[in-house]
Amino acid sequence: QVQLVESGGGSVHTGGSLRLSCAASGYTYSVNHMGWFRQAPGKEREGVASIHSGTGNTYYADSVKGRFTISQDNGENTAALQMDSLKPEDAAMYYCAARNEDGRSTSPLDPRGYAYWGQGTQVTVSS
């Protein structure tokens, strides 16, 4: 099992920035991707960004490319999502997730491939 705890959500105005953090514990050696996902009311959960734990390769949804940056600190078992130039449409509950080899058949941004999830942190963006 892998446990994930997010922090860093909050409320900002359009154009503002937030940094989300995710601390992983447990059997983290099995994790090959860490990802950030979001879900707004009435919408499906969508992949925002993902990072390969070994290579550091990153993947982003088109809607956040150039504005969001995912990073990791393998020594500390943490992942972060720096969100800049926030827009009202970025408002959602953001979740940190981790996947192991069981999710290898899916895209790094497909939530179905992730077995472990945090409790979520709310991001609000006002215009």
Side-chain angles (χ1 to χ4, degrees), residues 49-118:
S50 176
I51 186 166
H52 190 280
S53 302
T55 65
N57 288 345
T58 56
Y59 309 85
Y60 294 96
D62 288 342
S63 58
V64 306
K65 282 180 182 176
R67 300 189 298 120
F68 290 12
T69 303
I70 189 171
S71 60
Q72 65 183 359
D73 183 335
N74 288 336
E76 296 292 330
N77 289 325
T78 59
L81 184 69
Q82 177 67 39
M83 305 186 294
D84 299 318
S85 302
L86 282 161
K87 304 175 181 180
E89 52 263 43
D90 294 318
M93 184 71 80
Y94 281 71
Y95 298 90
C96 174
R99 83 175 203 182
N100 54 26
E101 280 300 302
D102 291 342
R104 62 186 180 276
S105 64
T106 59
S107 157
L109 293 178
D110 187 339
R112 295 173 298 176
Y114 287 74
Y116 308 106
W117 294 83

Side-chain angles (χ1 to χ4, degrees), residues 8-12 18 20 83 86 90-94 121-125:
S11 181
V12 296
L18 283 173
L20 306 182
M83 305 186 294
L86 282 161
D90 294 318
M93 184 71 80
Y94 281 71
T121 185
Q122 185 69 44
V123 171
T124 303
V125 184

Side-chain angles (χ1 to χ4, degrees), residues 7-51:
S7 61
S11 181
V12 296
H13 291 293
T14 297
S17 297
L18 283 173
R19 183 176 178 86
L20 306 182
S21 296
C22 176
S25 60
Y27 293 109
T28 57
Y29 65 86
S30 67
V31 172
N32 58 30
H33 282 84
M34 295 288 292
W36 287 96
F37 297 80
R38 66 187 182 188
Q39 188 167 19
K43 294 188 177 182
E44 293 187 355
R45 189 168 297 188
E46 63 172 346
V48 175
S50 176
I51 186 166

